[in-house]
Each structure stands twice: as structure tokens, then as C-alpha cells.
Amino acid sequence: MSPFENQVAIVTGAGRGIGEAIAKRLAQGGAGVAVVSRTESNSARVAAEINALRAGAARPYAVDVSDFDAVQAIGEQILGDFGRCDHLVNNAGITRDTLAMRMGSEDWDAVLQTNLKGAFNFTRAVLRAMVKQRTGRIINISSVSGLMGLAGQANYAASKAGLVGMSKSIAREVASRGITVNVVAPGFIETDMTSVLNAEVREGARAQIPLARFGAVDDIASTVEFLCGPGAAYITGQVLAVDGGMSM
Ligand code: NAD
């Protein structure tokens, strides 16, 4: 079955980790995929792997999502290359963890600009096209940290909580145009982002997870696939936590 045949998805931060899994999952479902990453070689690798399975399904793009003008330009390029955009998955994100008492202004700005402004920048770049099409799905990847707060993550939690408010506001603005906006809030997922955590932090995290394990990138990809699919047409402005029960 190809639920996304003739549809186009943009996935940011798709050069590795969760974004890579989402891009591949939507491509498997038949979508054309704009693989967006900051690092050209990463998006090129992921696009090539998708194209090896279905020639022409993916195209790579490199941009810093925090750069408003550059994102508007890439958005236009993607819309020109693919002709439309049905799904936008704002997944690019970074951490700069430290206690608030020690947090520098650069650590604050970098995280807010990538995680929150980056999602706004890409939404802004495609929203007009979605409104014209009268259809579209926007999925913003938040975090359990934005729902519960986590020590050492004042900047990250603020950016991820900000995504929730932004998503609900935009969901209200565009619902009448057939566009939905939802949030996926992963818990601890095995990726490069969490591989830097030391054994003590990992054990501490695991102890807070009712399902007692970290999740896999495919747990997030399957949730995004659902939210982009026909079964989720009546869901908007919602936050779906995929966290082994951590934030319940
Ligand atoms: P990752 O570090 O493995 O990948 C992040 C991707 O985002 C990379 O491809 C990176 O190049 C890209 N990126 C970062 N800054 C960018 C920028 N300015 N412009 C363009 N691309 C940029 O991380 P991941 O674990 O795959 O996380 C993906 C998303 O899921 C992030 O938003 C993260 O905050 C969120 N998340 C992850 C976890 C987890 O446990 N791994 C938990 C909750 C939420």
C-alpha cells in the first residue's frame, strides 16, 4: 500500500537519527521526500539510500533552519522541484545542556533559534502553498523535556514547550484550510543525541520510564507516519507523547 503516493514531504534534520527514520518511512509509503539537513553530505547520503530503493523519490537540501531568509529560499526551491508540499516535519534540533546558573546567552540563543525559530521558519516557507492546496500536515518534533522540564535543559525545554504553543496557534489559524498541525514529543530515544549521555544519566532516565527502556527511531517514525496518514485527518493541535509513559 502507498498511502503517500503523489504526495511530498519535507523532513528537516533528516541527515541522521529520528529525521532519517522519518524520511525513509514516508518515502516507503510512496511520498517524494525533500531530505533537509545542515550538513550536505548527510542529506546526500540519506537521499541516495532512498533513491536506491525508489529512483527519484528523494532530493537532498542543505540549510541552517535558524536562518529565516535561507529557509524561505530553500522552501521555494523545494516547492519548485516537487511542485507541492503535503507534509512538513520540523525535526531539526540541538541540545546545549547545562544548569541555568551556568547557562550562557549563546547556549540559550542557539537552542531557541534552531529548535523553535527553525520550525517557524520552515512553516512560514510552506504554509502559503499548503493554504492554496487546501491540504497539509505539519508535525513538530518536541520532547518530553518540553512537557515536564528536565534539569539542565532550561533552553531546550523552553524551545520544545514553545513548539507546543506555536503549533496550537497555527493549528487554529489554518484548520479551515484543511491543514492540521500536531506535535510529537519523544522521550529518550537511542540516537547520536542520547549516545553522549553517561551511564549514570542513562540509568537515571531509564528509572523514570514506566516501560523501562529507551525508544527507537522507528517508534517516532511510525507515529509521524500515522499523523501524516489518512487515519489522522481529524486530529489537530494535539501533542502525542511517545516516551514509554515517562510524561503521563
Ligand atoms: P540528532 O542530533 O541525531 O539529529 C538532529 C538532526 O538535526 C541532525 O541531522 C542535524 O544536522 C540537524 N540539525 C541540527 N541543527 C540544525 C540546523 N540548525 N539546521 C538544520 N539541521 C539541523 O538528533 P535526534 O536524536 O535524531 O533528534 C531529532 C529531533 O528529536 C530533535 O528535534 C530532538 O530535539 C528531538 N528529540 C530527540 C530525543 C532523543 O532522545 N533522541 C528525545 C526527544 C526529542
Side-chain angles (χ1 to χ4, degrees):
M1 211 182 68
S2 304
F4 305 124
E5 209 171 331
N6 299 322
Q7 296 185 6
V8 173
I10 299 175
V11 184
T12 71
R16 66 184 205 193
I18 292 171
E20 174 178 354
I22 293 169
K24 288 180 170 171
R25 183 66 73 105
L26 296 179
Q28 269 166 22
V33 180
V35 177
V36 180
S37 159
R38 193 176 29 182
T39 317
E40 201 157 357
S41 55
N42 286 352
S43 30
R45 175 186 64 78
V46 172
E49 286 175 19
I50 292 172
N51 287 331
L53 298 175
R54 190 159 54 87
R59 285 172 185 259
Y61 301 87
V63 72
D64 179 343
V65 296
S66 68
D67 181 337
F68 181 86
D69 292 337
V71 169
Q72 305 317 300
I74 285 279
E76 254 177 53
Q77 195 185 330
I78 293 170
L79 289 167
D81 290 344
F82 285 94
R84 58 185 293 115
C85 173
D86 299 280
H87 310 282
L88 169 64
V89 185
N90 284 309
N91 165 79
I94 57 169
T95 51
R96 293 271 182 92
D97 293 359
T98 188
L99 295 175
M101 230 173 351
R102 293 194 202 119
M103 190 174 287
S105 139
E106 253 188 33
D107 291 332
W108 176 271
D109 290 346
V111 169
L112 268 290
Q113 278 174 14
T114 299
N115 298 5
L116 183 54
K117 188 177 175 213
F120 168 72
N121 288 345
F122 249 104
T123 303
R124 179 74 171 71
V126 302
L127 206 50
R128 221 174 272 274
M130 285 183 171
V131 165
K132 265 198 201 143
Q133 289 165 189
R134 303 236 152 214
T135 172
R137 303 276 172 94
I138 299 174
I139 320 285
N140 292 320
I141 306 298
S142 175
S143 166
V144 69
S145 181
L147 307 181
M148 303 170 67
L150 290 178
Q153 294 200 319
N155 51 357
Y156 183 79
S159 72
K160 295 301 191 179
L163 284 176
V164 174
M166 183 184 86
S167 301
K168 291 186 178 193
S169 297
I170 299 175
R172 288 182 189 276
E173 289 179 17
V174 296
S176 64
R177 311 302 164 99
I179 301 164
T180 66
V181 187
N182 289 292
V183 175
V184 174
F188 284 86
I189 307 296
E190 299 283 7
T191 67
D192 290 341
M193 190 178 266
T194 47
S195 67
V196 298
L197 303 175
N198 65 37
E200 196 188 337
V201 174
R202 286 177 72 86
E203 201 34 57
R206 219 165 56 85
Q208 292 180 56
I209 303 170
L211 288 178
R213 60 179 172 81
F214 280 25
V217 292
D218 280 334
D219 292 320
I220 308 305
S222 58
T223 306
V224 171
E225 179 184 32
F226 164 67
L227 287 172
C228 290
Y234 200 53
I235 300 175
T236 195
Q238 300 305 306
V239 181
L240 195 37
V242 184
D243 62 2
M246 187 175 172
S247 67
M248 74 171 130

